Amino acid sequence: MGETEIKKGLAGVVVDTTAISKVNPETNSLLYRGYPVQELAAGQPFEAVAYLLWNGELPDPEQLAEFERRERSLRQLAPGTIELLDRMPRDAHPMDLLRTVVSRIGALDATMLDQASWTDPDADLRRATELLAQIPTIIAAIQRGRRGQDPIAPREDLDYARNFLWMTFGELPSDAAVDAFRVSLILYAEHSFNASTFTARVIASTTSDLYSAVVGAIGALKGPLHGGANEAVMHIIDEIGAPENVAPWLDAALAKKRKIMGFGHRVYKRGDSRVPTMDAALQRLFAEGGADVAALQGVYTELEREFVSRKGIYPNLDYPSGPAYRLLGFDTEIFTPLFVAARIVGWTAHIREQAASNALIRPLSAYDGPDERHLGDSLG
Ligand code: SDX
């Protein structure tokens, strides 16, 4: 066999087709079932985008009303969930808590006792809708628990984004806050074969169940090179503290060859197609925050300007999303769980697509260990 070309990290390798989304670095664009994500973010409810990614078409008014009714009816947590959270270490990372609760939801799903249902697309749509509805309730309870506050029950009279903010903060949010949050959820919902989605597809390809695939995807998303970057961005901005500190901070960071979180992308090499839309939503939050957020805005603007001018590496979606979530009031460690709340839509769409394809994912490796040897060989 000739010299095998290794594609580390599967960079640039097309491993399958998908009808769910198209990421095009040539045109710097992202299509959800054919629709440009910017058009969807301009005015669609997050629930309509979830319906589109799952079903392939945008819902008509009756279909949307039924989808919303069903999602709202599923927001309550199963008995014992809050008690489980209360028994976990107070300083456990929210991604670990979320991963644990999702795993429990799967263990409590009695339909899982029938192995044939593990790859049933209708059963999986029900499971996906329940996770979509309950993950915000879990995240809100985690944030409130971190602050010594009791959980707030979900409200069925509020849409997904507004209810999420209500359960977290106990007050009805401004329209600007709801809109920025809605935009972030739509932009985070789906992005073809990113690391966490591909993790979910690998697990689904063995005909394992949706909950196992989602738990695996949560583990992959936690990494700072992937979804954990939005939390890491905020830690960096807090560490820098003021615009005049950006240049010396970057000097030191780049001297240590640190990766600057929130910048760069495996697929987009001339900027992430989603950033302008998220940045515009963030600028609206900056405008609403006024002088109180001037330092944050200053560091955000100066760090991007300085890093892009030095390295020609552009922001990804995590860069504007981190500061936006700070302005919405979320704890920094809650930022990546918010990514989960949106990406559960893309993950579960891909899990159902992979299950329908019946193709086990199992790549090859090139061995570079010791040559064959045997126990009786002379001890050398
Ligand atoms: C997400 O795939 C998706 O679609 C993911 C995502 C989604 O929606 O699911 O878009 C969400 O995960 C966005 C990415 C979030 N991660 C970060 O912000 C972490 C910081 N970024 C880097 O780690 C990096 O840019 C990656 C991991 C995102 C992509 O890296 P690649 O494509 O593997 O490129 P690379 O690491 O090989 O970098 C190429 C060069 C290197 O320099 P050299 O070693 O060749 O000299 O660019 C440099 C890198 O050092 N570089 C960076 C950098 N990103 C690339 N240097 C400093 N800081 C960075 N952020």
Side-chain angles (χ1 to χ4, degrees):
M1 184 165 66
E3 191 62 27
T4 304
E5 188 193 2
I6 305 291
K7 291 282 192 178
K8 265 202 183 307
L10 295 179
V13 176
V14 179
V15 293
D16 206 339
T17 60
T18 180
I20 301 168
S21 70
K22 179 178 182 180
V23 179
N24 187 337
E26 300 315 314
T27 56
N28 200 5
S29 62
L30 169 59
L31 304 178
Y32 285 178
R33 300 283 192 184
Y35 291 99
V37 71
Q38 291 76 9
E39 286 182 27
L40 297 170
Q44 290 295 319
F46 174 60
E47 295 90 325
V49 175
Y51 185 100
L52 168 69
L53 288 168
W54 281 346
N55 298 290
E57 296 295 338
L58 281 166
D60 63 31
E62 292 70 37
Q63 290 166 328
L64 180 58
E66 173 52 24
F67 185 84
E68 289 177 340
R69 185 203 59 73
R70 179 147 174 68
E71 184 271 320
R72 296 179 189 205
S73 71
L74 295 168
R75 291 171 174 173
Q76 286 289 359
L77 299 181
T81 304
I82 297 302
E83 291 74 7
L84 169 66
L85 287 172
D86 288 343
R87 287 201 307 274
M88 300 292 279
R90 195 46 94 193
D91 58 355
H93 194 287
M95 283 293 275
D96 298 346
L97 298 176
L98 180 57
R99 188 188 65 223
T100 302
V101 175
V102 169
S103 188
R104 178 176 185 267
I105 292 171
L108 294 178
D109 181 343
T111 65
M112 297 300 292
L113 299 175
D114 170 13
Q115 184 175 326
S117 86
W118 293 1
T119 53
D120 177 331
D122 295 333
D124 272 349
L125 188 56
R126 170 190 57 81
R127 293 164 184 147
T129 308
E130 285 174 3
L131 289 177
L132 174 71
Q134 292 175 20
I135 285 174
T137 317
I138 299 164
I139 294 171
I142 290 171
Q143 164 137 341
R144 295 186 65 81
R146 290 163 56 88
R147 298 179 175 193
Q149 300 167 326
D150 290 333
I152 292 175
R155 285 176 48 174
E156 294 197 21
D157 61 322
L158 301 178
D159 68 32
Y160 177 97
R162 202 176 295 271
N163 172 65
F164 202 151
L165 296 171
W166 159 256
M167 290 188 299
T168 307
F169 303 109
E171 56 191 47
L172 287 177
S174 69
D175 289 346
V178 173
D179 195 58
F181 193 41
R182 175 190 64 83
V183 168
S184 78
L185 294 166
I186 289 173
L187 295 174
Y188 264 142
E190 158 62 12
H191 210 240
S192 80
F193 282 14
N194 59 86
S196 55
T197 296
F198 192 65
T199 300
R201 288 191 75 119
V202 169
I203 295 170
S205 81
T206 71
T207 66
S208 183
D209 67 287
L210 177 138
Y211 299 106
S212 299
V214 169
V215 167
I218 292 173
L221 192 75
K222 178 183 176 185
L225 291 189
H226 187 18
N230 63 8
E231 172 184 336
V233 163
M234 204 64 244
H235 289 314
I236 284 176
I237 291 176
D238 287 340
E239 186 182 326
I240 292 171
E244 58 270 22
N245 300 337
V246 166
W249 184 90
L250 260 182
D251 292 341
L254 295 178
K256 282 182 261 172
K257 294 219 174 294
R258 268 180 75 173
K259 297 271 191 184
I260 313 305
M261 299 291 119
F263 291 88
H265 199 277
R266 170 60 59 81
V267 180
Y268 296 118
K269 292 306 179 187
R270 294 195 313 277
D272 182 327
S273 68
R274 302 162 293 182
V275 165
T277 305
M278 191 62 227
D279 182 72
L282 172 61
Q283 295 303 331
R284 290 193 292 274
L285 290 176
F286 279 141
E288 193 179 54
D292 297 344
V293 300
L296 169 57
Q297 184 172 13
V299 174
Y300 169 81
T301 306
E302 181 61 14
L303 177 58
E304 177 180 350
R305 191 199 59 74
E306 185 72 18
F307 186 65
V308 170
S309 68
R310 288 192 196 194
K311 299 281 283 185
I313 297 170
Y314 295 90
N316 58 55
L317 178 56
D318 293 313
Y319 190 63
S321 298
Y325 289 155
R326 167 63 61 84
L327 293 177
L328 289 175
F330 290 104
D331 287 359
T332 305
E333 292 73 19
I334 294 289
F335 292 7
T336 310
L338 297 176
F339 196 154
V340 174
R343 189 55 58 90
I344 190 69
V345 175
W347 288 338
T348 48
H350 281 273
I351 288 164
R352 293 173 72 228
E353 186 178 66
Q354 182 68 44
S357 79
N358 266 327
L360 176 68
I361 298 174
R362 198 281 186 216
L364 297 177
S365 58
Y367 175 70
D368 66 359
D371 292 338
E372 185 173 346
R373 54 187 171 165
H374 301 279
L375 291 174
D377 291 353
S378 59
L379 295 179

